[in-house]
Amino acid sequence: MKTVFMVAEKPSLAASLATILSNGKNTSRKGFNGACSVHEWQGTFFTVPARFKMTSVCGHVLGVDFISKYNNWDRVDPVELFSCQIEKKEAMPKLKMPYFLAQEAKGADNLVLWLDCDKEGENICFEVMGAVASSIIGNVFSDSVTYRAKFSAITEKDIKAAFNSLGHPNENEARSVDARQELDLRIGCAFTRFQTKFFQGRYGDLDSSLISYGPCQTPTLGFCVQRHDAIQTFKPESYWCVQVTITTKDNQDVSLDWQRVRSFDKEVANLFLQIVKEQKQAKVESVVSKEKSKVRPPALNTVELMRVASSGLGMGPHHAMQIAERLYIQGYISYPRTETTRYPENFDLLGTLRQQQNNPDWGDEVKEILSNGINRPKSGHDAGDHPPITPMKSASRHELDGDSWKLYDYITRHFIGTLAKDCKYLTTTATMVINGEVFSVSGKTLLDAGFTTIMTWQALGKNEIVPNLTENEVVPIKEAKLTEHQTSPPDYLTESELITLMEKHGIGTDASIPVHINNISQRNYVTVTAGRKLQPTTLGIVLVHGYQKIDQELVLPTMRSALEEQLNLIAVGKANFQDVLKHTVEIFKLKFQYFVKNIDAMDQLFEVSFSPLSASGKAHSRCGKCRRYMKYIQAKPARLHCSHCDETFSVPQNGIIKLFKELKCPLDDFELLCWTMGNKGKSFVFCPYCYNNPPFKEMKKGSGCNACVHPTCSYSLNSNGVCNCAECEFGVMVLDPSSGPKWKLGCNKCDTIINLFDDAQKVSILEDSCDCGAQTAHVEYKPEKSRLPQGATEATGCPFCHPDFARLVDRPKAAVISRPRVFRGGRGGRGGSRGGRGGRGRPPKDKMAALAAYFV
């Protein structure tokens, strides 16, 4: 029997597809990676009996990155990133997705890909094909082996229709995504690394840990700063209006609108006022009524959905799209990423509408539309991708949580509104003349609410009272006066307005627009204020102004929109992948070199807005080179700065940094510090110099003393390591010498903590080891605080096995003490085979001898 292997984009989607395709008769099991399930059933594939296996990925299988040697910010000149080698790496290494797919696909005859139907989905198709190439029988890149399912909704009708009309993956679309990924990586990383290192090494109050640049992100920020600049440079002007109030025959006071609207010259305005005041009555020249329509909306696409979510529902576009995707996977709506606003000719409008006729919120309106007959929707734009966003089944407010319901409610009402009548109303305008000056008053009367009965937010306001006036009537003037006003500046851009600008200028795609807006907010370039307005921060403003001083094209939308056009040409097979890549990389490389050469122009703006490192922070601990106090700068990213040596040292983030007993590192004489998350959190001792410049090849940058393999230092891993961590693969549980009297062991790789020996005066780790693999400990108590049996003041033994310690140590999982003792090497010496460290043996006489012994 033939085996068909199927892959969806998300685990929940795979479960839904398997249920539909198997008619609910599939069996399920959890995949070995813990994230994906495998669903199996039997059926037919192209009329041949087949066994089906359906599983999923979790988004992209692979991500593009530089080879490892180019990921060291300190050793690589950013300009090299434009030409250095890149590679595809696992997007989520913990899930082992390529191996998982390869194992599950073994022996399969065919591959059917149910990835999202957009360019990113096409790209993931080829990632999956690459992962299973060696497992599938036959050539996975052959059209007779691999098939592609195209669908827009998770309904039985759509899914089975897709299964019965399988196509093939589109390599051109996948390649266009590869090009975008590579360009964004090279351009973004080069600029980001350079400006982050340049500015964070000079200013102490920069409120961002990463000063990023992105080919889409930066023009997006540029729009926000452009509006900010317009507000700052706005100069208000005074203007005056002639305001007249008449009294109708019904004794109703009515204010009139001046045909000239306003005058910016007060003397001229006064002149008109005097002309009006010469008359005591106004003559009605005409009363005209016209029927007008407010047309129903076109079908809903992604950009309009994001706009309304931000301006009307109070949701950020990124959050709104996450909810829309969840509603799609649950089968409530059609695919939410589409640029199309025109329903296909064969779209079942009537069937989709009938599903809503019993809904308690809008069922009555739907029944009325069905009884009167649906109106053909407005003709919109057909982008050739997916149908517009529509509801796929009826839901009540009790089925969905708050934001999910709000979004579903809008999508459904919008769909119903596209099939309803236009809103019709009558406008009545009365025109009056006072000594040659023309005034008017208008009112509206609703004739047919049409689609506004369902899209209530679009409804007309309460009927504006139409004054009882007739042609040639003369009415008395109650009051005529001059009112003074001022022009007002524009407001900050709303997310909705920004989305419109991004769409207009071709910045990003319907899928990436919310990501770019979310990025500039997370990077602290803008803050989202009331009404979801985007107000640039000082950093965001300085960055954009800096780009404008050096090279305007870095922040203008024209460069990105031109690139998007090139990428679209790749997608339709009209441009060569390598040619577009080579040309674009070369342009941005030249721009980067010019930017680096002229960075002083941007630095001048930073000098005005931010404080230099030498003027930031408070005296904290001594530098090992000059013995002067370094300053601790708390603004993110927290760091230490020695103004005498003009050096900056990174420190662990998101915790408290304090001196550790005024002790010095035996390697460099820098004062040891302690990083802590509080009594119940993790903490460790570290040397600021070693943290930034690891002294041993086994140590990674950003390591504390709990990972240091110094052979004699009493605060190193070599002196305080106890046992392997049960929660992670390579971690070691190390005694935290700064934690007393609330002593604890902390893993030097993960956040695992073991509390032990509360109130002990001293705890030390010994050379001897227990049969379980852990090192023994010596504990000393003051007589009045002893917790040992019979008031003993000291004891020695394995923290996990010694009977006297049973009450004093949090019992770890069995795996902690059952795993082989690999972090200590030699005969009782620390160092072990994993890191290749030597045994400790007898302690050398001095520091240099210790280092010599270690390296030998």
Side-chain angles (χ1 to χ4, degrees):
M1 185 181 287
K2 178 177 281 198
T3 299
V4 180
F5 185 58
M6 296 183 166
V7 182
E9 190 150 326
K10 291 181 177 60
S12 54
L13 183 57
S16 299
L17 295 174
T19 301
I20 292 170
L21 292 170
S22 68
N23 298 312
K25 296 179 181 177
N26 61 297
T27 59
S28 301
R29 58 181 169 83
K30 203 74 174 174
F32 72 79
N33 66 3
C36 304
S37 294
V38 182
H39 315 278
E40 299 180 76
W41 69 97
Q42 290 190 356
T44 58
F45 185 68
F46 290 119
T47 71
V48 177
R51 183 171 70 94
F52 293 93
K53 285 176 74 175
M54 166 74 78
T55 188
S56 73
V57 292
C58 295
H60 274 284
V61 177
L62 303 172
V64 65
D65 198 1
F66 303 110
I67 60 173
S68 57
K69 75 173 185 177
Y70 289 100
N71 282 323
N72 187 320
W73 286 38
D74 297 318
R75 295 180 183 175
V76 176
D77 185 339
V79 76
E80 295 179 50
L81 302 181
F82 287 99
S83 54
C84 71
Q85 186 180 344
I86 62 169
E87 62 182 345
K88 291 235 176 182
K89 296 180 179 178
E90 287 189 45
M92 291 169 281
K94 288 183 179 179
L95 298 184
K96 299 180 179 177
M97 194 62 71
Y99 181 68
F100 166 74
L101 292 170
Q103 290 297 107
E104 293 296 342
K106 272 188 178 176
D109 299 279
N110 291 99
L111 174 67
V112 181
L113 299 159
W114 294 81
L115 285 310
D116 285 354
C117 301
D118 55 14
K119 291 173 187 172
E120 294 290 337
E122 296 301 321
N123 190 260
I124 300 173
C125 281
F126 284 87
E127 292 174 359
V128 172
M129 291 159 69
V132 303
S134 60
S135 301
I136 296 277
I137 297 172
N139 179 7
V140 77
F141 297 99
S142 165
D143 286 351
S144 61
V145 174
T146 298
Y147 296 89
R148 173 78 158 103
K150 294 273 189 176
F151 56 99
S152 296
I154 315 300
T155 62
E156 183 173 353
K157 179 182 175 182
D158 280 67
I159 296 307
K160 289 192 173 178
F163 181 70
N164 291 324
S165 57
L166 296 173
H168 301 285
N170 186 323
E171 187 174 8
N172 287 329
E173 289 189 0
R175 294 290 275 169
S176 74
V177 174
D178 284 335
R180 179 184 286 110
Q181 288 178 343
E182 182 172 339
L183 290 171
D184 286 351
L185 176 73
R186 291 189 187 278
I187 298 165
C189 286
F191 279 93
T192 297
R193 287 191 194 182
F194 173 73
Q195 60 191 28
T196 298
K197 289 193 71 178
F198 185 88
F199 290 116
Q200 280 189 348
R202 299 165 74 86
Y203 301 100
D205 53 351
L206 282 179
D207 43 3
S208 181
S209 56
L210 188 75
I211 305 174
S212 63
Y213 175 91
C216 281
Q217 169 196 297
T218 304
T220 301
L221 174 62
F223 289 129
C224 300
V225 175
Q226 186 180 28
R227 178 61 65 88
H228 167 83
D229 292 343
I231 294 169
Q232 295 301 308
T233 56
F234 183 84
K235 292 181 180 179
E237 288 185 81
S238 294
Y239 64 91
W240 292 264
C241 300
V242 177
Q243 186 174 311
V244 175
T245 304
I246 61 168
T247 303
T248 66
K249 50 182 171 268
D250 302 328
N251 287 323
Q252 179 189 357
D253 291 341
V254 178
S255 292
L256 305 182
D257 298 322
W258 188 25
Q259 191 182 50
R260 299 181 191 274
V261 183
R262 59 189 176 182
S263 171
F264 286 95
D265 189 319
K266 187 176 183 181
E267 289 187 11
V268 172
N270 260 318
L271 179 64
F272 285 120
L273 178 63
Q274 295 310 313
I275 291 172
V276 170
K277 279 190 170 183
E278 288 175 4
Q279 293 276 356
K280 300 298 181 186
Q281 294 176 317
K283 183 181 178 182
V284 181
E285 285 277 305
S286 63
V287 178
V288 180
S289 294
K290 286 184 181 179
E291 187 177 306
K292 293 189 176 181
S293 293
K294 189 174 187 179
V295 295
R296 60 192 181 278
L300 182 65
N301 68 0
T302 306
V303 170
E304 182 62 18
L305 177 64
M306 291 190 289
R307 270 199 288 254
V308 172
S310 177
S311 61
L313 307 180
M315 298 182 205
H318 188 255
H319 176 56
M321 290 311 296
Q322 287 178 323
I323 293 171
E325 189 169 317
R326 191 162 67 240
L327 289 171
Y328 159 68
I329 289 172
Q330 292 170 340
Y332 287 106
I333 66 171
S334 61
Y335 191 64
R337 292 198 181 104
T338 176
E339 297 176 18
T340 296
T341 57
R342 185 167 72 192
Y343 297 114
E345 290 299 322
N346 60 350
F347 193 88
D348 186 8
L349 294 169
L350 207 56
T352 306
L353 185 62
R354 281 191 181 123
Q355 291 180 335
Q356 303 294 334
Q357 63 185 337
N358 296 318
N359 190 285
D361 287 279
W362 46 74
D364 292 342
E365 289 86 349
V366 170
K367 286 174 184 173
E368 186 177 344
I369 294 171
L370 288 169
S371 64
N372 296 330
I374 65 172
N375 288 276
R376 189 64 196 168
K378 284 181 63 183
S379 180
H381 169 65
D382 184 2
D385 51 357
H386 290 275
I389 305 166
T390 58
M392 298 314 296
K393 64 180 179 182
S394 182
S396 69
R397 61 181 70 240
H398 306 296
E399 289 178 52
L400 302 169
D401 61 40
D403 283 350
S404 295
W405 168 253
K406 277 163 49 176
L407 205 65
Y408 175 82
D409 177 88
Y410 168 71
I411 290 168
T412 307
R413 288 180 183 274
H414 188 109
F415 167 70
I416 299 168
T418 63
L419 306 180
K421 294 179 183 176
D422 290 344
C423 171
K424 294 184 178 178
Y425 58 95
L426 195 69
T427 63
T428 303
T429 302
T431 305
M432 277 154 279
V433 176
I434 306 171
N435 204 12
E437 283 302 297
V438 181
F439 294 83
S440 64
V441 61
S442 297
K444 293 176 185 172
T445 306
L446 185 65
L447 300 176
D448 184 350
F451 76 94
T452 62
T453 58
I454 192 75
M455 298 177 73
T456 52
W457 58 92
Q458 295 239 20
L460 298 178
K462 291 182 179 178
N463 283 353
E464 299 170 26
I465 298 170
V466 180
N468 185 11
L469 297 167
T470 55
E471 199 168 315
N472 295 322
E473 180 184 356
V474 176
V475 291
I477 298 171
K478 181 179 181 180
E479 184 185 29
K481 63 180 181 180
L482 210 61
T483 56
E484 184 178 355
H485 309 270
Q486 275 199 325
T487 55
S488 55
D491 209 339
Y492 284 104
L493 275 181
T494 62
E495 284 175 331
S496 178
E497 292 170 327
L498 179 58
I499 290 167
T500 302
L501 284 170
M502 293 175 73
E503 182 192 30
K504 177 183 175 182
H505 291 279
I507 300 298
T509 62
D510 52 5
S512 65
I513 282 173
V515 176
H516 301 316
I517 296 175
N518 191 54
N519 280 346
I520 63 173
S521 179
Q522 287 188 332
R523 303 277 159 79
N524 199 34
Y525 297 160
V526 298
T527 54
V528 182
T529 62
R532 301 210 66 84
K533 293 170 187 169
L534 301 169
Q535 184 172 346
T537 62
T538 302
L539 178 57
I541 295 165
V542 169
L543 279 174
V544 169
H545 289 172
Y547 295 133
Q548 289 171 339
K549 283 187 75 174
I550 299 172
D551 182 354
Q552 275 200 329
E553 286 192 333
L554 292 174
V555 77
L556 289 175
T558 47
M559 286 283 289
R560 185 62 193 198
S561 58
L563 174 57
E564 288 293 341
E565 289 176 12
Q566 294 293 311
L567 295 175
N568 287 332
L569 289 175
I570 294 175
V572 297
K574 293 182 178 179
N576 180 272
F577 170 83
Q578 289 295 346
D579 290 346
V580 171
L581 213 57
K582 182 180 178 182
H583 176 69
T584 308
V585 167
E586 189 59 36
I587 288 174
F588 273 97
K589 181 178 180 180
L590 293 172
K591 285 187 171 295
F592 174 77
Q593 290 170 326
Y594 185 78
F595 178 75
V596 171
K597 187 177 177 181
N598 294 278
I599 191 65
D600 286 345
M602 183 182 276
D603 193 29
Q604 290 167 9
L605 300 177
F606 272 80
E607 283 179 351
V608 175
S609 303
F610 300 101
S611 303
L613 280 176
S614 56
S616 306
K618 296 180 179 178
H620 192 268
S621 61
R622 289 185 185 274
C623 170
K625 296 180 179 180
C626 65
R627 301 307 300 152
R628 290 175 171 83
Y629 279 101
M630 298 186 291
K631 287 186 175 181
Y632 176 48
I633 299 159
Q634 285 186 295
K636 286 189 176 182
R639 53 211 187 275
L640 288 165
H641 178 70
C642 177
S643 54
H644 183 265
C645 300
D646 194 23
E647 282 196 74
T648 305
F649 301 97
S650 299
V651 296
Q653 303 296 304
N654 305 318
I656 299 168
I657 305 286
K658 53 188 180 182
L659 272 175
F660 178 60
K661 301 180 181 178
E662 296 187 353
L663 296 169
K664 293 186 290 186
C665 173
L667 293 172
D668 49 49
D669 284 343
F670 276 74
E671 286 187 315
L672 294 178
L673 304 176
C674 171
W675 174 85
T676 177
M677 292 286 286
N679 285 337
K680 295 184 179 180
K682 189 176 177 181
S683 59
F684 59 83
V685 175
F686 72 98
C687 160
Y689 189 82
C690 295
Y691 186 84
N692 290 272
N693 305 280
F696 306 115
K697 60 184 178 182
E698 293 88 346
M699 285 179 69
K700 291 184 178 179
K701 189 174 181 178
S703 297
C705 297
N706 58 0
C708 177
V709 294
H710 191 288
T712 61
C713 177
S714 56
Y715 304 108
S716 68
L717 165 67
N718 210 47
S719 299
N720 294 297
V722 176
C723 62
N724 291 309
C725 176
E727 300 298 324
C728 63
E729 190 175 356
F730 296 109
V732 175
M733 300 301 294
V734 184
L735 177 70
D736 178 4
S738 68
S739 59
K742 299 283 185 182
W743 298 92
K744 55 193 171 190
L745 303 178
C747 176
N748 61 5
K749 297 291 183 186
C750 70
D751 292 330
T752 304
I753 296 171
I754 297 175
N755 295 298
L756 71 173
F757 306 135
D758 266 7
D759 296 328
Q761 181 183 6
K762 184 179 179 183
V763 178
S764 52
I765 306 303
L766 305 179
E767 281 287 336
D768 303 323
S769 60
C770 174
D771 291 340
C772 74
Q775 299 300 126
T776 57
H778 180 73
V779 187
E780 297 177 22
Y781 281 92
K782 289 184 178 179
E784 65 274 14
K785 291 192 174 183
S786 176
R787 297 194 177 194
L788 295 169
Q790 295 157 356
T793 58
E794 55 184 290
T796 300
C798 173
F800 310 115
C801 302
H802 196 288
D804 291 350
F805 294 162
R807 296 180 301 106
L808 307 179
V809 180
D810 288 349
R811 281 296 294 174
K813 293 181 182 178
V816 174
I817 52 178
S818 63
R819 285 170 56 186
R821 179 167 53 94
V822 296
F823 76 95
R824 292 176 181 269
R827 297 169 180 148
R830 298 172 170 94
S833 59
R834 180 176 290 162
R837 304 169 192 135
R840 182 162 76 175
R842 294 181 182 178
K845 296 177 181 178
D846 56 46
K847 182 167 66 176
M848 294 311 295
L851 287 176
Y854 171 78
F855 284 112
V856 170

